[in-house]
Amino acid sequence: MHILNFETFLIAITILTLTPGLDTALVIRNASRSGGIDGCVTSLGICLGLFVHATLSAVGISAILLQSAQLFQIMKWCGAAYLIWLGLSSLRATFKGTGKLNISSSAGITFDPKRSLREGFLSNVLNPKTAIFYLAFLPQFISPDYSPFLQSLTLAGIHFLIAMVWQCSLSGAINSAKNLLKSTSIMSWMEGVTGTVLILLGIKLLMDDSVV
């Protein structure tokens, strides 16, 4: 399968996965609730939701490709600009000091795998930010000469593996991880690094010959 700018995708999706957000907070909360297995099953639900977003993104990309190659090019430019906007938003959060996660604790609740899977899946599928991100982000790496659907699922599969490894690692080290992610200084540092990398990647995609 031919994926455009694969190295850029790998760096960007890894950075974004490591950046604490709603998914991370949910995994940590549920792992605190009834152990690491709860966090891992929650992570599985979250990551399965990625394929829903990838499918919807592929449908949109396919429709645009059928209409016009120029529209697809414009969509890619908008996606690269969106990546830069995400980076600027991260830097703004760093300067304002608003990078602290709000992680509630509900320890002592009995583990229910169906509940954990459902919570993770619905949290991801119903998150409009994830839907917008996939629709804007994936076209950067889709080759019009190959199936957008298969390429989108491949990229989602890579995201799935990276997110599962990271979130399950958090679940396994929940006490240390929870305290770390509640640290404003650590969160600000991560936001700053993430924002800078995203801006650089967005600029690279805008200037790349395969995009332009």
Side-chain angles (χ1 to χ4, degrees):
M1 185 63 62
H2 184 71
I3 303 296
L4 299 176
N5 299 302
F6 179 74
E7 295 81 5
T8 302
F9 169 79
L10 202 57
I11 294 171
I13 206 66
T14 299
I15 288 290
L16 288 166
T17 300
L18 295 179
T19 303
L22 177 61
D23 292 343
T24 305
L26 183 62
V27 168
I28 292 176
R29 189 206 70 174
N30 287 3
S32 301
R33 178 175 65 188
S34 52
I37 185 64
D38 196 340
C40 289
V41 175
T42 301
S43 175
L44 177 60
I46 290 170
C47 294
L48 288 175
L50 297 175
F51 292 102
V52 175
H53 292 296
T55 300
L56 294 176
S57 176
V59 170
I61 292 169
S62 298
I64 290 174
L65 278 172
L66 288 175
Q67 293 295 321
S68 168
Q70 289 183 334
L71 285 176
F72 181 64
Q73 189 65 55
I74 292 172
M75 184 181 187
K76 295 181 73 172
W77 284 332
C78 291
Y82 179 63
L83 205 61
I84 294 173
W85 180 82
L86 286 177
L88 292 173
S89 297
S90 292
L91 289 180
R92 186 169 63 250
T94 298
F95 294 135
K96 288 184 177 181
T98 57
K100 189 174 180 181
L101 271 180
N102 182 19
I103 303 172
S104 59
S105 179
S106 52
I109 299 177
T110 304
F111 171 56
D112 180 351
K114 291 183 179 179
R115 178 188 61 203
S116 300
L117 192 67
R118 181 178 63 251
E119 287 177 348
F121 182 77
L122 292 178
S123 172
N124 186 275
V125 170
L126 299 179
N127 186 351
K129 290 184 178 180
T130 306
I132 294 171
F133 173 74
Y134 256 57
L135 186 60
F137 186 62
L138 291 194
Q140 310 299 324
F141 313 99
I142 298 296
S143 172
D145 299 327
Y146 297 85
S147 167
F149 180 73
L150 292 179
Q151 290 179 88
S152 294
L153 290 185
T154 299
L155 294 172
I158 295 170
H159 190 186
F160 176 98
L161 293 174
I162 293 172
M164 281 293 295
V165 170
W166 169 241
Q167 291 169 0
C168 288
S169 296
L170 285 181
S171 296
I174 186 59
N175 291 326
S176 298
K178 184 168 65 173
N179 293 331
L180 184 66
L181 292 171
K182 284 184 176 181
S183 169
T184 302
S185 60
I186 293 295
M187 285 295 298
S188 294
W189 179 83
M190 292 183 70
E191 287 279 6
V193 171
T194 299
T196 302
V197 172
L198 289 177
I199 291 171
L200 293 175
L201 290 174
I203 293 173
K204 179 183 182 299
L205 288 171
L206 282 173
M207 299 178 65
D208 197 295
D209 288 339
S210 61
V211 175
V212 180

